[in-house]
PDB file of all heavy atoms in Angstrom:
ATOM      1  N   THR A 106      67.431 -60.766   4.192  1.00 96.00           N
ATOM      2  CA  THR A 106      68.612 -59.918   4.050  1.00 96.00           C
ATOM      3  C   THR A 106      68.156 -58.466   4.194  1.00 96.00           C
ATOM      4  O   THR A 106      66.942 -58.187   4.153  1.00 96.00           O
ATOM      5  CB  THR A 106      69.248 -60.103   2.659  1.00 96.00           C
ATOM      6  OG1 THR A 106      68.294 -59.670   1.675  1.00 96.00           O
ATOM      7  CG2 THR A 106      69.662 -61.552   2.430  1.00 96.00           C
ATOM      8  N   PRO A 107      69.089 -57.530   4.330  1.00 97.00           N
ATOM      9  CA  PRO A 107      68.672 -56.116   4.348  1.00 97.00           C
ATOM     10  C   PRO A 107      67.878 -55.725   3.094  1.00 97.00           C
ATOM     11  O   PRO A 107      66.918 -54.963   3.189  1.00 97.00           O
ATOM     12  CB  PRO A 107      70.010 -55.362   4.434  1.00 97.00           C
ATOM     13  CG  PRO A 107      70.920 -56.320   5.147  1.00 97.00           C
ATOM     14  CD  PRO A 107      70.519 -57.683   4.635  1.00 97.00           C
ATOM     15  N   GLU A 108      68.254 -56.269   1.935  1.00 97.00           N
ATOM     16  CA  GLU A 108      67.503 -55.990   0.712  1.00 97.00           C
ATOM     17  C   GLU A 108      66.083 -56.539   0.807  1.00 97.00           C
ATOM     18  O   GLU A 108      65.124 -55.909   0.367  1.00 97.00           O
ATOM     19  CB  GLU A 108      68.207 -56.603  -0.512  1.00 97.00           C
ATOM     20  CG  GLU A 108      69.551 -55.994  -0.818  1.00 97.00           C
ATOM     21  CD  GLU A 108      70.715 -56.695  -0.089  1.00 97.00           C
ATOM     22  OE1 GLU A 108      70.474 -57.529   0.808  1.00 97.00           O
ATOM     23  OE2 GLU A 108      71.865 -56.381  -0.420  1.00 97.00           O
ATOM     24  N   GLY A 109      65.950 -57.721   1.410  1.00 97.00           N
ATOM     25  CA  GLY A 109      64.633 -58.322   1.601  1.00 97.00           C
ATOM     26  C   GLY A 109      63.762 -57.491   2.524  1.00 97.00           C
ATOM     27  O   GLY A 109      62.563 -57.314   2.270  1.00 97.00           O
ATOM     28  N   VAL A 110      64.357 -56.964   3.584  1.00 97.00           N
ATOM     29  CA  VAL A 110      63.611 -56.110   4.511  1.00 97.00           C
ATOM     30  C   VAL A 110      63.120 -54.858   3.791  1.00 97.00           C
ATOM     31  O   VAL A 110      61.969 -54.446   3.954  1.00 97.00           O
ATOM     32  CB  VAL A 110      64.479 -55.738   5.737  1.00 97.00           C
ATOM     33  CG1 VAL A 110      63.810 -54.669   6.586  1.00 97.00           C
ATOM     34  CG2 VAL A 110      64.801 -56.970   6.564  1.00 97.00           C
ATOM     35  N   SER A 111      63.963 -54.283   2.957  1.00 97.00           N
ATOM     36  CA  SER A 111      63.586 -53.078   2.214  1.00 97.00           C
ATOM     37  C   SER A 111      62.413 -53.336   1.266  1.00 97.00           C
ATOM     38  O   SER A 111      61.441 -52.568   1.237  1.00 97.00           O
ATOM     39  CB  SER A 111      64.797 -52.569   1.433  1.00 97.00           C
ATOM     40  OG  SER A 111      64.457 -51.460   0.650  1.00 97.00           O
ATOM     41  N   VAL A 112      62.479 -54.429   0.515  1.00 97.00           N
ATOM     42  CA  VAL A 112      61.383 -54.775  -0.399  1.00 97.00           C
ATOM     43  C   VAL A 112      60.114 -55.063   0.390  1.00 97.00           C
ATOM     44  O   VAL A 112      59.017 -54.626   0.019  1.00 97.00           O
ATOM     45  CB  VAL A 112      61.783 -55.977  -1.286  1.00 97.00           C
ATOM     46  CG1 VAL A 112      60.572 -56.556  -2.008  1.00 97.00           C
ATOM     47  CG2 VAL A 112      62.857 -55.571  -2.270  1.00 97.00           C
ATOM     48  N   LEU A 113      60.250 -55.783   1.499  1.00 96.00           N
ATOM     49  CA  LEU A 113      59.095 -56.122   2.333  1.00 96.00           C
ATOM     50  C   LEU A 113      58.414 -54.865   2.861  1.00 96.00           C
ATOM     51  O   LEU A 113      57.182 -54.777   2.870  1.00 96.00           O
ATOM     52  CB  LEU A 113      59.542 -57.034   3.480  1.00 96.00           C
ATOM     53  CG  LEU A 113      58.469 -57.585   4.392  1.00 96.00           C
ATOM     54  CD1 LEU A 113      57.401 -58.340   3.622  1.00 96.00           C
ATOM     55  CD2 LEU A 113      59.113 -58.496   5.442  1.00 96.00           C
ATOM     56  N   GLU A 114      59.183 -53.877   3.271  1.00 96.00           N
ATOM     57  CA  GLU A 114      58.598 -52.629   3.781  1.00 96.00           C
ATOM     58  C   GLU A 114      57.812 -51.896   2.690  1.00 96.00           C
ATOM     59  O   GLU A 114      56.745 -51.338   2.954  1.00 96.00           O
ATOM     60  CB  GLU A 114      59.692 -51.735   4.370  1.00 96.00           C
ATOM     61  CG  GLU A 114      60.215 -52.268   5.688  1.00 96.00           C
ATOM     62  CD  GLU A 114      61.431 -51.525   6.213  1.00 96.00           C
ATOM     63  OE1 GLU A 114      62.008 -50.684   5.471  1.00 96.00           O
ATOM     64  OE2 GLU A 114      61.819 -51.789   7.366  1.00 96.00           O
ATOM     65  N   LYS A 115      58.327 -51.911   1.462  1.00 96.00           N
ATOM     66  CA  LYS A 115      57.587 -51.288   0.350  1.00 96.00           C
ATOM     67  C   LYS A 115      56.277 -52.029   0.096  1.00 96.00           C
ATOM     68  O   LYS A 115      55.232 -51.412  -0.123  1.00 96.00           O
ATOM     69  CB  LYS A 115      58.448 -51.275  -0.906  1.00 96.00           C
ATOM     70  CG  LYS A 115      59.629 -50.340  -0.818  1.00 96.00           C
ATOM     71  CD  LYS A 115      60.531 -50.484  -2.023  1.00 96.00           C
ATOM     72  CE  LYS A 115      61.803 -49.680  -1.832  1.00 96.00           C
ATOM     73  NZ  LYS A 115      62.815 -50.000  -2.839  1.00 96.00           N
TER      74      LYS A 115
END
Side-chain angles (χ1 to χ4, degrees):
T106 63
E108 295 89 349
V110 170
S111 177
V112 167
L113 185 56
E114 288 172 351
K115 291 174 188 168

